[in-house]
């Protein structure tokens, strides 16, 4: 049992702009791939990042173990919620939360170009209760901060480029459709296209 006043880091991951990411194209394969990548970011990849930085946690094979809690002193991170484009976890230290943020962000940047993650964290002081209220407050603060964000605009092609036929972003890959026609794809659409198979 932690001592009264012991501090933890409460961290929440939210996928921003899911609708525009998933339905940014009218091609079903890309929509399916995008949906899969959103799920990966807040489930499998989040669990992988957690396992890499805090192997002593309450997750066993991708399943939350409910009777293992951070307040018992045996684990360094406790996942409170995962799914629906969100991931909430309680870390024992700020260093662990920072390492988790770096690892997950890098994975999403490389494997799911164009998917935006918002990651927020607050200090949580253990009093024996109030965790639910703190999670609710953190999620509320996330919504407020998201509303104040300046919309980002992607850097369009520089120099000689070919536009992606789904997003109008610069194309980085060429594929052949089943009918033999060449299609030019941005990094975002290429990742979605290949994620559709899994």
């Amino acid at each position: 049992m932690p001592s009264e006043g012991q501090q933890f880091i409460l961290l929440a991951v939210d996928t921003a702009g899911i609708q525009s990411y998933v339905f940014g194209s009218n091609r079903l394969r890309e929509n399916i791939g995008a949906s899969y990548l959103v799920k990966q970011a807040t489930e499998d990849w989040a669990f992988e990042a957690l396992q890499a930085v805090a192997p002593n946690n309450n997750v066993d094979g991708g399943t939350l173990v409910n009777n293992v809690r951070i307040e018992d002193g045996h684990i360094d991170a406790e996942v409170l919620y995962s799914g629906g484009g969100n991931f909430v976890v309680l870390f024992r230290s700020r260093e662990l939360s920072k390492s988790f943020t770096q690892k997950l962000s890098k994975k999403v940047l490389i494997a799911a170009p164009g998917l935006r993650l918002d990651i927020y964290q607050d200090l949580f002081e253990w009093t024996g209760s109030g965790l639910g209220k703190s999670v609710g407050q953190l999620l509320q603060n996330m919504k407020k901060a998201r509303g104040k964000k300046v919309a980002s605009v992607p850097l369009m092609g520089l120099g000689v480029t070919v536009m992606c036929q789904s997003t109008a972003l610069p194309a980085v890959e060429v594929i052949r459709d089943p009918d033999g026609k060449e299609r030019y794809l941005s990094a975002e659409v290429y990742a979605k296209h290949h994620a559709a198979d899994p």
Side-chain angles (χ1 to χ4, degrees):
M1 189 82 158
S3 59
E4 187 91 6
Q6 185 174 349
Q7 296 181 337
F8 297 97
I9 303 299
L10 184 59
L11 181 140
V13 178
D14 181 41
T15 47
I18 294 175
Q19 293 295 318
S20 60
Y21 184 75
V22 172
F23 300 109
S25 164
N26 62 357
R27 291 183 172 84
L28 183 59
R29 181 176 181 83
E30 293 166 15
N31 301 145
I32 292 169
S35 181
Y36 177 75
L37 291 173
V38 168
K39 179 186 178 298
Q40 289 291 95
T42 55
E43 291 180 20
D44 295 345
W45 297 342
F47 287 136
E48 287 170 16
L50 180 71
Q51 195 63 33
V53 302
N56 294 325
N57 56 58
N58 69 323
V59 179
D60 183 19
T63 304
L64 300 183
V65 180
N66 291 327
N67 62 348
V68 178
R69 294 185 172 82
I70 199 165
E71 64 263 26
D72 296 335
H74 303 296
I75 60 174
D76 295 320
E78 180 181 352
V79 176
L80 305 174
Y81 177 78
S82 173
N86 295 297
F87 186 82
V88 181
V89 60
L90 193 60
F91 284 104
R92 188 166 297 285
S93 71
R94 190 166 301 280
E95 293 75 26
L96 290 173
S97 71
K98 184 177 179 181
S99 295
F100 170 82
T101 299
Q102 289 171 337
K103 193 161 236 13
L104 180 60
S105 297
K106 183 176 181 180
K107 176 69 175 182
V108 170
L109 280 169
I110 292 168
L115 180 60
R116 291 185 358 249
L117 290 185
D118 288 334
I119 300 177
Y120 299 86
Q121 56 185 347
D122 276 343
L123 193 60
F124 173 71
E125 190 168 316
W126 183 263
T127 61
S129 65
L131 181 58
K133 184 178 179 181
S134 293
V135 169
Q137 186 63 50
L138 178 64
L139 297 176
Q140 203 66 285
N141 292 343
M142 270 176 34
K143 285 182 182 179
K144 287 179 188 174
R146 191 180 317 130
K148 294 178 183 178
K149 266 188 173 180
V150 176
S152 63
V153 179
L155 179 62
M156 301 311 266
L158 302 172
V160 179
T161 59
V162 174
M163 289 186 348
C164 171
Q165 293 164 326
S166 294
T167 63
L169 292 170
V172 298
E173 294 288 339
V174 180
I175 64 166
R176 288 206 182 276
D177 280 338
D179 61 4
K181 287 185 179 179
E182 284 188 342
R183 260 186 69 218
Y184 298 93
L185 307 178
S186 66
E188 177 181 328
V189 172
Y190 186 71
K192 291 175 183 179
H193 185 79
H194 283 286
D197 289 332

